[in-house]
Amino acid sequence: MTFRSITSVQIIVAHGIELGIDENVLLQGSGLTSAQLADHERLIEDKQELQVLNNLMLTTQCPVKVGMELGCRYHLTSYGIMGYALLASSTARKAIEFGLRYLDLTYVFSQITLTELNDDLSLRFSCDIAGKLGELVLVRDMLGAAMIQREVFERNGLPIKLQFMSPQPVGLCLADIKQKLGAEIQFNANYNGFSGLAPLLDLPLVKANEATARLCEAQCSQLLQQKQNWKPIAKLVKDTLVHLGLTASMEDIAQHLARTTRTLHRQLKLEQTSWRQVRDDVRFGIAEELLLKPMQLDEIAERLGFSDGANFSHSFKRCKNITPSQYRKQATKQR
């Protein structure tokens, strides 16, 4: 069970009401009441926000349009102390790194990664939620992130392009959205995300303030620690390892989770597991999927962060009591 601030649901409901949708329709099935909606200190479950988003989605024929309009309503102030931390960052690079480190304090449901390719850097988004709801959520999350960039730089005409893999919906007018974002929008792209970030990464931000940034990060660290205490630590480490990449070390994971390696080791021990066990669970769970594909063992080993195929085979057998080749043969017979 994961919790978040009710602020995002307040934004969703306000947008729905402006579209002429009754508040009771938007809250239906979420377990939330009008009185609770007015409580700015209330925490809600992720599934409650998803239910409200689903109710909004059911009223529209174009999830992309609604997702774009809704995403534009998320401003830096929507994120509380985290918004001030982003604004006070020294550069865009620092702001992005901070945002990814404290992503759990935002309202996104999407996974976000910073990717370097052909001398450019891109922020890429993916969403595991199926169907039209997933489409709306993905677009909402991307536009919300775009609004953060717009407000952090405080200017239009940014050399950033917002890219969507889906085709542009028929009748969707982008003029107002482009004006709000100060950036270009492209459909039928190779990935969902932002391109053109490289020239902006190390530019000084207008409202940079090191003292404020440090103070805000300290508070964000405390909030993140409180929020993550609601999750089993082993699952938290697994999710973070998938997010950062399988080559991430325990030190990387601990830093991302705003705690020391000693604390992380102790917390995992209390759950009767270890860093090595959690890492192996993730690695070999993915390995089993990759072994069902026509891939060489060396290629799988590289994907999973092993030095070579032999090292991967040895580790796989130690964990699964079967070699990768034997597993592949058995799995093929059962299909």
Side-chain angles (χ1 to χ4, degrees):
M1 185 183 299
T2 307
F3 294 87
R4 53 177 52 203
S5 166
I6 200 171
T7 302
S8 184
V9 168
Q10 292 172 334
I11 293 172
I12 298 165
V13 171
H15 182 64
I17 291 174
E18 283 191 11
L19 294 176
I21 308 168
D22 187 82
E23 180 180 290
N24 292 325
V25 173
L26 292 164
L27 295 179
Q28 186 175 3
S30 69
L32 294 172
T33 65
S34 295
Q36 292 171 335
L37 188 65
D39 181 1
H40 298 286
E41 301 298 322
R42 177 170 289 275
L43 297 174
I44 62 169
E45 296 179 45
D46 285 1
K47 64 181 182 181
Q48 292 179 290
E49 180 171 334
L50 284 174
Q51 181 61 54
V52 177
L53 281 166
N54 190 63
N55 293 339
L56 176 64
M57 184 272 297
L58 292 174
T59 67
T60 179
Q61 297 296 317
C62 185
V64 172
K65 181 176 185 292
V66 173
M68 284 188 165
E69 293 172 346
L70 179 59
C72 287
R73 298 181 72 109
Y74 288 78
H75 301 282
L76 279 173
T77 52
S78 306
Y79 302 93
I81 194 66
M82 183 178 179
Y84 290 104
L86 293 169
L87 196 60
S89 298
S90 58
T91 64
R93 184 189 302 275
K94 293 292 185 182
I96 290 172
E97 290 174 350
F98 180 90
L100 294 177
R101 192 159 63 248
Y102 291 95
L103 194 62
D104 275 0
L105 296 181
T106 70
Y107 310 114
V108 303
F109 289 102
S110 303
Q111 293 78 49
I112 309 175
T113 56
L114 185 62
T115 304
E116 184 172 3
L117 182 65
N118 298 329
D119 297 324
D120 189 21
L121 287 173
S122 59
L123 271 181
R124 303 195 179 195
F125 290 67
S126 61
C127 184
D128 296 332
I129 301 170
K132 290 185 176 180
L133 176 59
E135 190 175 11
L136 187 155
V137 167
L138 176 68
V139 174
R140 189 273 312 251
D141 291 351
M142 290 175 63
L143 268 290
M147 289 299 294
I148 289 178
Q149 294 182 60
R150 168 72 179 82
E151 294 178 8
V152 163
F153 283 103
E154 293 191 343
R155 64 184 176 91
N156 287 315
L158 296 174
I160 296 173
K161 183 182 293 182
L162 186 58
Q163 303 186 169
F164 297 94
M165 295 177 68
S166 61
Q168 181 172 342
V170 177
L172 176 62
C173 180
L174 298 177
D176 289 344
I177 303 294
K178 286 182 178 180
Q179 185 176 7
K180 289 179 180 178
L181 297 181
E184 290 299 312
I185 299 176
Q186 176 188 350
F187 287 89
N188 296 308
N190 294 325
Y191 61 85
N192 296 307
F194 302 95
S195 63
L197 293 173
L200 301 173
L201 282 183
D202 298 309
L203 294 178
L205 297 182
V206 177
K207 295 186 177 179
N209 186 299
E210 184 177 354
T212 300
R214 286 182 179 179
L215 179 63
C216 291
E217 178 158 14
Q219 294 182 46
C220 286
S221 180
Q222 292 178 354
L223 290 172
L224 186 62
Q225 184 79 50
Q226 293 169 8
K227 180 172 184 178
Q228 291 171 344
N229 281 340
W230 298 324
K231 293 183 179 181
I233 299 300
K235 183 180 185 303
L236 184 60
V237 172
K238 288 178 183 179
D239 292 344
T240 306
L241 185 57
V242 171
H243 173 66
L244 294 182
L246 297 178
T247 59
S249 65
M250 186 177 184
E251 289 74 16
D252 295 330
I253 301 295
Q255 181 180 7
H256 187 86
L257 297 179
R259 64 198 70 189
T260 65
T261 54
R262 184 177 180 179
T263 297
L264 184 58
H265 173 77
R266 175 174 53 79
Q267 291 172 329
L268 289 171
K269 187 176 181 180
L270 288 173
E271 293 185 357
Q272 298 183 327
T273 187
S274 66
W275 157 249
R276 180 176 179 177
Q277 181 63 54
V278 173
R279 183 189 60 183
D280 283 351
D281 286 348
V282 175
R283 273 179 161 182
F284 296 122
I286 295 174
E288 289 177 348
E289 297 180 11
L290 296 180
L291 285 168
L292 299 179
K293 300 179 180 180
M295 297 173 62
Q296 298 294 323
L297 291 187
D298 284 341
E299 185 179 355
I300 294 176
E302 184 179 358
R303 287 267 192 102
L304 298 177
F306 290 94
S307 57
D308 53 43
N311 188 17
F312 162 63
S313 297
H314 175 76
S315 298
F316 188 90
K317 185 176 182 181
R318 171 180 55 78
C319 184
K320 299 292 185 180
N321 294 316
I322 188 175
T323 68
S325 299
Q326 291 170 333
Y327 177 86
R328 173 175 273 169
K329 186 179 295 184
Q330 290 182 8
T332 302
K333 287 180 179 179
Q334 294 171 2
R335 295 180 73 181

